[in-house]
Amino acid sequence: MPKNRLVVPIVKWVGGKRQLLDEIIPRLPERITSYCEPFLGGGAVLFSIQPSKAIVNDLNADLIAVYEVIRDDVESLIDDLKKHENTSEYYYKIRDLDRDKAAYQAMSKVERASRLIYLNKTCFNGLFRVNSSGEFNSPFGHYKNPNILNEPILRAVSKYFASSGITFFSEDFSATLDRVGRGGFVYLDPPYDPVSDTASFTGYNKGGFGRSEQIRLKQCCDNLTRRGIKFMLSNSATDFIKDLYREYNIDFVKAKRVINADASKRGAIEEVLIRNYGYE
């Protein structure tokens, strides 16, 4: 199927892969019959290759709900997004809706999806972050003209979802990987191993993704290999990750980290792309 250039990420997500696509795409298997992405986030790789069959997952249930609303009821979402205001007072009113759990759950799925997109477009640095209670806590971004509503892109993504065999999940990554059949391809983009004691960012969801989780993910990758399933994994080029995946093909690539409150600390750093297959 021809690719639609309007099918691009809807939200900006920490660790998004748009700037690494030129490194990732040439390393993909030549033929992908079914695709799996257990850490979907903004979905840059999914939207770039636009597979006709895919299993995608993210532990952030609100994010997955956004994608389901775009697939099932994009026009209602577009209508709801039109109501939002780019003011500090309004922003904090919408941001704090999740402080009352009962009231938040009483919101419609469309309203919750609209809220997440609005906050993502107007919060500081596009940084989706929740506290230990699972409450969104990024401050207002003070942007002059944030692109809160992009109707052509929303409709294009909706059309792609509706015409493709894509199933959405919000579960532990290991459960998603168990769903992949032989011959499938998996792209893994987990929260990165921190390059320093102060570099860790684990605020995508309550909890975190420490080294015990990195080790558990590596064990899942070994299982994929035993099952004859190809995978590619992105991570930071720490000694821990390089040693953990030492028996696999490791390519070093430069990536520019753009989400950092200190502009002087935004720059190209070394990352790794790890594969259990060679070039084809």
Side-chain angles (χ1 to χ4, degrees):
M1 293 177 61
K3 295 177 185 176
N4 186 337
R5 293 182 181 179
L6 290 176
V7 176
V8 297
I10 299 295
V11 294
K12 182 181 179 183
W13 215 249
V14 175
K17 288 296 172 290
R18 293 185 83 162
Q19 43 119 358
L20 262 187
L21 289 175
D22 288 344
E23 299 283 359
I24 292 171
I25 300 304
R27 292 175 169 87
L28 294 173
E30 189 172 308
R31 186 167 180 265
I32 298 175
T33 55
S34 63
Y35 178 80
C36 176
E37 193 167 344
F39 304 93
L40 183 60
V45 176
L46 172 76
F47 293 141
S48 177
I49 64 178
Q50 297 175 32
S52 59
K53 183 180 179 182
I55 299 168
V56 296
N57 173 75
D58 199 282
L59 196 58
N60 189 309
D62 285 337
L63 176 63
I64 291 300
V66 168
Y67 293 131
E68 291 174 336
V69 166
I70 291 171
R71 178 192 63 194
D72 300 332
D73 200 1
V74 71
E75 295 304 323
S76 293
L77 176 61
I78 287 171
D79 287 342
D80 201 83
L81 283 166
K82 292 175 181 177
K83 74 183 182 186
H84 294 304
E85 304 169 11
N86 183 36
T87 66
S88 178
E89 181 182 13
Y90 180 84
Y91 173 87
Y92 286 109
K93 175 185 173 183
I94 297 300
R95 192 195 74 167
D96 292 348
L97 287 173
D98 62 5
R99 272 57 175 172
D100 185 332
K101 305 305 181 192
Y104 180 70
Q105 290 302 319
M107 293 170 62
S108 71
K109 196 171 179 178
V110 168
E111 289 172 330
R112 291 199 298 271
S114 174
R115 172 183 176 270
L116 189 150
I117 293 173
Y118 165 73
L119 293 176
N120 184 262
K121 300 297 185 182
T122 56
C123 73
F124 177 71
N125 222 5
L127 179 60
F128 186 95
R129 184 183 67 195
V130 297
N131 58 26
S132 60
S133 299
E135 300 165 345
F136 191 91
N137 67 349
S138 295
F140 184 55
H142 296 281
Y143 300 119
K144 193 170 183 179
N145 293 301
N147 188 17
I148 297 170
L149 172 59
N150 191 318
E151 296 184 41
I153 287 177
L154 284 169
R155 290 192 176 104
V157 172
S158 178
K159 184 177 180 181
Y160 166 59
F161 284 164
S163 63
S164 305
I166 298 180
T167 49
F168 296 93
F169 297 95
S170 183
E171 61 189 8
D172 184 79
F173 63 84
S174 64
T176 302
L177 292 174
D178 286 342
R179 300 178 186 275
V180 183
R182 186 175 180 85
F185 170 73
V186 180
Y187 172 62
L188 300 141
D189 184 28
Y192 277 18
D193 185 48
V195 296
S196 69
D197 291 339
T198 59
S200 179
F201 179 89
T202 56
Y204 311 94
N205 308 285
K206 291 188 295 180
F209 203 93
R211 289 198 163 170
S212 62
E213 291 294 277
Q214 298 285 0
I215 291 169
R216 188 164 68 91
L217 177 58
K218 162 60 164 55
Q219 293 167 344
C220 288
C221 288
D222 293 341
N223 188 40
L224 289 174
T225 301
R226 286 191 293 270
R227 290 160 56 196
I229 297 167
K230 294 177 180 177
F231 75 82
M232 180 190 296
L233 179 142
S234 306
N235 215 314
S236 51
T238 61
D239 290 341
F240 172 76
I241 292 298
K242 289 185 287 186
D243 182 64
L244 189 63
Y245 288 92
R246 60 188 178 275
E247 70 266 40
Y248 291 110
N249 294 322
I250 301 179
D251 292 332
F252 296 89
V253 297
K254 293 291 185 181
K256 190 173 183 180
R257 291 284 177 88
V258 295
I259 295 182
N260 193 307
D262 184 348
S264 67
K265 295 181 180 178
R266 302 174 194 168
I269 67 162
E270 196 169 60
E271 299 187 2
V272 291
L273 292 175
I274 299 165
R275 294 168 292 121
N276 65 348
Y277 59 93
Y279 292 112
E280 301 184 357

